[in-house]
Amino acid sequence: GESVGLHLPTLSVQEGDNSIINCAYSNSASDYFIWYKQESGKGPQFIIDIRSNMDKRQGQRVTVLLNKTVKHLSLQIAATQPGDSAVYFCADRQGGKLIFGQGTELSVKP
Amino acid sequence: GAGVSQSPSNKVTEKGKDVELRCDPISGHTALYWYRQRLGQGLEFLIYFQGNSAPDKSGLPSDRFSAERTGESVSTLTIQRTQQEDSAVYLCASSLYEGLAEAFFGQGTRLTVV
């Protein structure tokens, strides 16, 4: 079936640098795209979402970009901190249910 | 409670036994989801409840898996005749209503089938 997938399984960045996590999706009918953060041993935590009729949305230190032409979603984290180390999942909403991609593990080096 | 509560937090069971996993969603949340997460993997959708509508069971991997929800409260995920490949963390999430993108997750139940 249609799914959301990620380009890279791991990403290592220096503390203070910006991080960019990418995601490809295949379901053109999705109306929401969402980013979740999962720390070790915990359930995923909502970060930010974007409607399919938008191309950019900003939150606190995070920006999500949506390119519907190439079906690509990205999460940008400004001034990455050690506390940002986690696995990041993109997800899309399909008929009410949330479908998740495989995840990218972000590691922040001090 | 303030968040989604799952019990037990850990469960070790023998192959062939049945297990029941419980989820208490946030009070007032009409949507409830179950996911399975194998070690180092993503979240695999299992089942979705929305209010009094028929649940979306499209993600259940086999007829050994079933889930129920009492009104808009507690949900139970049952796995019958457990197999070793059922070993995973089972996560439950709830959201205020179907149209909301933000879902709140519990800590999960780690199931180990030996």
Side-chain angles (χ1 to χ4, degrees):
Chain A
E2 297 196 276
S3 64
V4 179
L6 294 173
H7 291 305
L8 297 172
T10 61
L11 177 66
S12 182
V13 299
Q14 202 70 39
E15 180 179 357
D17 287 351
N18 296 334
S19 302
I20 300 176
I21 302 171
N22 296 303
C23 179
Y25 66 92
S26 57
N27 187 353
S28 301
S30 299
D31 57 355
Y32 266 105
F33 298 90
I34 311 107
W35 284 98
Y36 279 83
K37 172 186 179 182
Q38 186 176 29
E39 296 175 327
S40 181
K42 298 183 179 179
Q45 181 180 13
F46 173 88
I47 301 173
I48 191 169
D49 63 354
I50 186 168
R51 288 179 182 267
S52 60
N53 62 357
M54 300 171 64
D55 53 20
K56 181 179 180 179
R57 189 174 185 205
Q58 288 185 299
Q60 186 177 12
R61 281 202 306 119
V62 295
T63 301
V64 57
L65 299 177
L66 177 62
N67 185 331
K68 292 180 287 295
T69 302
V70 295
K71 297 183 180 178
H72 184 268
L73 184 71
S74 69
L75 177 71
Q76 300 178 3
I77 304 173
T80 314
Q81 302 169 1
D84 295 327
S85 293
V87 177
Y88 289 80
F89 293 97
C90 62
D92 68 332
R93 195 176 70 185
Q94 300 178 17
K97 62 192 180 190
L98 297 175
I99 302 299
F100 285 77
Q102 287 299 309
T104 292
E105 183 173 5
L106 175 65
S107 176
V108 182
K109 298 177 288 186
Chain B
V4 176
S5 178
Q6 292 187 245
S7 60
S9 55
N10 282 283
K11 176 72 176 179
V12 180
T13 190
E14 292 181 351
K15 179 181 173 181
K17 300 285 189 182
D18 298 352
V19 294
E20 284 190 353
L21 312 180
R22 178 186 169 108
C23 174
D24 285 89
I26 294 172
S27 179
H29 281 198
T30 63
L32 187 146
Y33 311 81
W34 281 99
Y35 292 88
R36 179 170 69 181
Q37 186 174 32
R38 292 196 167 105
L39 186 63
Q41 300 294 312
L43 280 73
E44 179 185 358
F45 169 78
L46 296 177
I47 189 169
Y48 163 59
F49 295 90
Q50 172 55 48
N52 295 319
S53 302
D56 180 340
K57 304 179 181 180
S58 60
L60 294 178
S62 76
D63 59 8
R64 295 187 296 106
F65 288 72
S66 63
E68 294 183 347
R69 187 179 186 191
T70 307
E72 293 184 351
S73 59
V74 172
S75 177
T76 302
L77 177 69
T78 301
I79 309 173
Q80 295 178 310
R81 305 180 302 282
T82 51
Q83 303 295 314
Q84 288 187 327
E85 66 259 27
D86 299 334
S87 295
V89 174
Y90 290 83
L91 289 159
C92 174
S94 70
S95 63
L96 188 57
Y97 52 86
E98 181 182 18
L100 201 62
E102 182 173 7
F104 295 84
F105 280 82
Q107 297 279 66
T109 293
R110 181 175 298 278
L111 175 66
T112 303
V113 182
V114 297

